[in-house]
Amino acid sequence: MLTYLIIVLDDTSVSYCHYEANRKERRLISIDDLKAGIMFAMKENLNVQFVYPDYELPVEYLAAIDSIDHTDIKPVKNGDVADVVVLSGWDDEVPEDATCIIHSSFGELSEHVTTINDWLRRITRLNVVLTDVDKFKDGDIDSYKKTLEALADGMMGLFQQGRNVQLNLLTDRLMLTEMNNCGAGDNNVTLAPNGKFYLCPAFYHEDEKQSVGDLKSGLNIKNPQLLRIDHAPICRQCDAYQCRRCIWMNQRLTMDANTPSHQQCVVAHLERNASRELQMKLDEAGIRLTDSHPIEEMTELDPFNIVNRWK
């Protein structure tokens, strides 16, 4: 069921997910399309998320945006007042008590564990978006395990100090009892600066021809059930509930938007298992997080390898 409308305000708007926002020329959504998008959201009773560029918008745009309850996703350069701040790099100064996003390769992540721990002393939540999941190999498993263990050790110290912080790679799975994936094309769609709808911003940046409707004719998602978890025979049995199940990456790596790649599954299960290890350490220390749920032991990292159990 559609719940969110993501409105990308400009071609240079910041990326908050796996895709690369590499367009350099500004193309601001027309004020008429912005207002029409807001009206569409009102009629469909959708929550709106605005994705901003790094420059100040015209006053009439800000007035239109303020006409509806919304979430602001802004680059750090423009994120003095934002619900979600997207950092540009590891040297950024993080805003106090903010929710932040950082794009990182696996290698960069392993080198900046201390930076993340320092950030989490100031902010309330950090989402790490891994940029090279498609290049992950089984030979990288041990390295990523060690990185997650080091991050978990840092978080243990923060929890023991009474800081109830969140790091998506480790704490999201603790709170979930069902899949909480990206949901692009299922519970959210994107309105791009050209006035057309897309499954998510990644499809727009990849090829504008991949639109799924426009403001005049409405949404036209072909076979929308093929984007849902109940039509994903492997994923619906999986309990790596924090997995983003990125349909754009699925399409690139498996040619099926509803089927994740081996890389995505392994990475998600490494994070799941690291969350379980963190949970066990918290239990031993007598620290109980609100809404935390037990995570069962699992040694297999790719659910495709145990598919016979579900038949």
Side-chain angles (χ1 to χ4, degrees):
M1 178 180 176
L2 203 59
T3 307
Y4 296 95
L5 176 65
I6 299 162
I7 300 181
V8 179
L9 294 167
D10 190 278
D11 270 2
T12 63
S13 289
V14 68
S15 166
Y16 61 89
C17 200
H18 294 292
Y19 66 95
E20 183 178 357
N22 54 10
R23 301 190 184 194
K24 304 302 181 184
E25 292 188 17
R26 294 179 180 180
R27 175 164 62 164
L28 185 63
I29 189 172
S30 74
I31 189 64
D32 289 339
D33 284 345
L34 175 60
K35 291 178 178 179
I38 291 171
M39 183 59 65
F40 174 85
M42 289 179 174
K43 289 180 178 179
E44 299 296 327
N45 195 28
L46 304 179
N47 298 305
V48 181
Q49 299 176 343
F50 292 104
V51 188
Y52 288 72
D54 64 1
Y55 64 87
E56 187 69 23
L57 297 178
V59 173
E60 60 179 336
Y61 281 73
L62 298 176
I65 288 169
D66 284 341
S67 69
I68 190 170
D69 290 338
H70 65 277
T71 298
D72 289 329
I73 303 173
K74 296 184 178 182
V76 66
K77 181 179 178 181
N78 193 26
D80 51 336
V81 180
D83 300 287
V84 180
V85 177
V86 182
L87 304 173
S88 61
W90 295 103
D91 294 328
D92 283 345
E93 188 74 19
V94 293
E96 197 79 26
D97 297 324
T99 294
C100 295
I101 294 173
I102 182 72
H103 292 82
S104 174
S105 67
F106 287 99
E108 290 171 333
L109 186 66
S110 68
E111 295 170 359
H112 289 90
V113 170
T114 301
T115 303
I116 288 175
N117 289 333
D118 289 341
W119 283 348
L120 290 174
R121 291 186 175 92
R122 297 192 59 196
I123 64 179
T124 56
R125 178 177 173 86
L126 178 66
N127 285 352
V128 176
V129 177
L130 294 166
T131 56
D132 53 351
V133 173
D134 58 329
K135 298 178 177 65
F136 188 88
K137 298 179 176 61
D138 287 353
D140 300 322
I141 288 174
D142 287 341
S143 175
Y144 193 41
K145 275 185 179 180
K146 291 177 181 177
T147 299
L148 291 171
E149 289 170 2
L151 289 168
D153 288 342
M155 295 206 72
M156 272 299 300
L158 294 171
F159 285 129
Q160 289 170 333
Q161 295 168 21
R163 280 198 58 78
N164 189 13
V165 293
Q166 298 176 13
L167 174 62
N168 67 317
L169 303 178
L170 290 170
T171 58
D172 282 7
R173 179 59 184 82
L174 300 177
M175 313 300 173
L176 296 171
T177 58
E178 61 183 10
M179 280 291 184
N180 185 37
N181 312 134
C182 167
D186 180 20
N187 63 28
N188 68 84
V189 293
T190 291
L191 178 64
N194 62 359
K196 296 181 180 181
F197 291 113
Y198 293 82
L199 296 178
C200 79
F203 288 94
Y204 169 69
H205 278 278
E206 183 177 65
D207 184 358
E208 291 190 31
K209 295 179 182 178
Q210 299 182 97
S211 67
V212 291
D214 55 51
L215 289 166
K216 292 182 178 179
S217 59
L219 279 173
N220 181 26
I221 301 176
K222 296 179 180 179
N223 298 316
Q225 73 278 7
L226 299 182
L227 300 174
R228 299 200 311 257
I229 190 73
D230 58 2
H231 278 65
I234 302 297
C235 294
R236 70 185 181 207
Q237 302 288 346
C238 180
D239 77 339
Y241 298 140
Q242 86 294 340
C243 174
R244 298 311 295 154
R245 221 173 70 88
C246 173
I247 66 168
W248 173 70
M249 195 181 302
N250 294 351
Q251 187 68 48
R252 290 174 60 214
L253 298 180
T254 70
M255 305 300 290
D256 181 353
N258 214 17
T259 302
S261 64
H262 173 74
Q263 297 98 310
Q264 292 178 83
C265 290
V266 170
V267 168
H269 278 78
L270 288 170
E271 293 162 2
R272 173 208 183 275
N273 292 347
S275 298
R276 182 177 184 274
E277 293 295 325
L278 174 60
Q279 186 177 69
M280 293 170 64
K281 291 179 181 179
L282 289 169
D283 288 343
E284 290 174 2
I287 301 173
R288 179 71 178 178
L289 301 182
T290 304
D291 297 329
S292 178
H293 301 279
I295 303 173
E296 296 181 4
E297 183 178 9
M298 178 180 288
T299 57
E300 184 55 63
L301 296 178
D302 190 337
F304 280 85
N305 294 336
I306 55 174
V307 68
N308 288 333
R309 299 183 193 176
W310 303 327
K311 290 183 178 179

